[in-house]
Amino acid sequence: LGKLSKEEIYYKKNLEVALLKLAELQKALAFNKMEFAQLAKVGPKEIDLEGRRFYQLEDFDKTYTLEIFQEAAVRNRNEFAKGKESLINYSFDEVRGNVIRKYPLIERLDINGLNIEDDVYYKELQNRVLQIADNLMVAVSEYRQAKPGTATKEAFKRRAYDELGAAILEQVEINFRLVERADIDYENIEKEISLQKQEVRKLNKSYKMSADQKLELLNAQIKLIETERQAAQILAERAVALRSLYFSAGLTPFSKTVLRAPVKDVSAVLKKEIGRAHV
């Protein structure tokens, strides 16, 4: 009615801003829900999705090291199976040794106190990936152009398989580091959420609040919702990275070994495969 006080006008304007933020959050959540519904849509009700639990991977064993997944890749991936048919003694130790000789190990950065959180670590990993990719392209090109049945052709084949092995181990490492980074990010954001919840509880204790106090509480609650949404996004990214890690290590439900088992046994089969390297 045009009779609002200055304090009420101030409160009204800020309330409109808060409502706008909430409306944006609501739209984003509704869109995410729609996307998930399309992704997870399943037709017949009788489909058994027990194996799905493994690919949610909440029980990921953090004692599994990078080398365990790399060894699993050498044991399970078809590229290495082809290499073993064409080459002699194409084992994990040989593949890993070749990578150590040809490319500087990123583990040396750990000795200097650097890890996946550090930009230098990330840059070193990125440079090595690009170098391996370039070398693989050159090796394959030289092999294809070499004259069949010659020693040169065989030498180029060996080099191509060496670079392919390095590329696969690097692919596994990238996915492994992404999982590590997601774990670090989630741990940090969980601490932030805990502090924000404490702040909301503190602000919400007042019985009678001024307009400024009400706005402060409302904005703190909105900030908490936004942070919780970021945490959910990090968990989703971790799930993608973790599934990519298992796939790049050759631990997929589409391998000949796993396809023989019922869907509900997928988890047990894959855990057994990765456990072989762990032991």
Side-chain angles (χ1 to χ4, degrees):
L1 300 174
K3 295 181 180 180
L4 296 178
S5 65
K6 287 184 178 180
E7 184 180 2
E8 289 170 335
I9 292 172
Y10 168 78
Y11 180 68
K12 178 176 178 290
K13 287 181 178 179
N14 283 275
L15 191 60
E16 288 172 349
V17 172
L19 289 171
L20 181 61
K21 288 182 180 179
L22 286 171
E24 290 174 351
L25 274 173
Q26 186 182 33
K27 287 180 181 178
L29 290 171
F31 180 75
N32 289 344
K33 184 178 179 181
M34 180 188 69
E35 279 193 320
F36 180 77
Q38 293 176 345
L39 181 67
K41 189 175 182 181
V42 178
K45 292 182 179 180
E46 62 270 15
I47 290 181
D48 185 359
L49 294 176
E50 283 298 312
R52 171 178 63 109
R53 294 178 186 173
F54 178 80
Y55 280 96
Q56 291 173 339
L57 298 170
E58 288 102 349
D59 59 345
F60 174 64
D61 191 338
K62 291 186 178 181
T63 63
Y64 290 164
T65 63
L66 169 62
E67 286 72 23
I68 286 174
F69 285 99
Q70 289 180 328
E71 186 172 354
V74 176
R75 190 175 63 245
N76 291 294
R77 286 190 53 157
N78 291 332
E79 296 92 334
F80 289 107
K82 290 289 185 181
K84 290 170 187 175
E85 292 175 4
S86 303
L87 306 168
I88 300 174
N89 298 325
Y90 200 56
S91 65
F92 169 71
D93 289 338
E94 188 171 1
V95 176
R96 178 68 172 164
N98 176 64
V99 174
I100 292 173
R101 287 190 300 272
K102 293 200 66 175
Y103 302 99
L105 280 178
I106 206 161
E107 282 80 1
R108 66 185 174 82
L109 296 175
D110 294 331
I111 299 173
N112 296 322
L114 300 177
N115 56 32
I116 195 63
E117 290 183 275
D118 197 286
D119 288 339
V120 175
Y121 194 107
Y122 171 78
K123 192 66 178 176
E124 182 77 10
L125 181 60
Q126 185 181 46
N127 289 338
R128 193 170 65 173
V129 168
L130 293 173
Q131 184 182 3
I132 291 174
D134 287 342
N135 290 346
L136 176 58
M137 291 292 292
V138 171
V140 172
S141 178
E142 288 177 339
Y143 169 71
R144 293 183 65 181
Q145 293 174 13
K147 189 176 180 180
T150 63
T152 302
K153 182 82 169 180
E154 288 303 307
F156 282 148
K157 179 197 288 187
R158 177 70 201 205
R159 184 188 169 197
Y161 271 113
D162 285 344
E163 296 298 344
L164 178 61
I168 292 173
L169 294 196
E170 197 67 18
Q171 182 186 34
V172 173
E173 180 172 356
I174 290 170
N175 289 323
F176 186 85
R177 300 306 179 194
L178 286 173
V179 174
E180 281 188 328
R181 185 57 190 259
D183 283 334
I184 292 168
D185 289 343
Y186 188 72
E187 184 179 338
N188 290 336
I189 205 165
E190 279 284 276
K191 293 177 182 177
E192 189 176 343
I193 287 173
S194 178
L195 292 173
Q196 289 180 5
K197 284 182 176 179
Q198 291 177 24
E199 181 66 17
V200 168
R201 285 195 295 267
K202 180 181 176 182
L203 294 171
N204 203 23
K205 282 184 177 180
S206 301
Y207 178 68
K208 290 184 178 180
M209 292 187 286
S210 65
D212 283 342
Q213 289 173 322
K214 290 177 182 178
L215 289 170
E216 186 178 5
L217 173 59
L218 183 57
N219 287 324
Q221 290 171 327
I222 293 173
K223 186 177 180 181
L224 174 60
I225 293 172
E226 290 174 335
T227 307
E228 287 176 333
R229 184 165 174 261
Q230 290 175 14
Q233 181 66 34
I234 290 171
L235 281 180
E237 291 170 357
R238 180 185 185 275
V240 171
L242 202 44
R243 293 176 195 190
S244 297
L245 172 60
Y246 273 74
F247 270 75
S248 61
L251 300 168
T252 81
F254 307 112
S255 67
K256 292 180 179 179
T257 302
V258 183
L259 278 177
R260 297 191 188 103
V263 175
K264 64 184 179 64
D265 294 336
V266 168
S267 176
V269 173
L270 295 184
K271 284 182 179 179
K272 182 179 178 181
E273 285 296 309
I274 193 67
R276 286 171 58 191
H278 189 43
V279 174

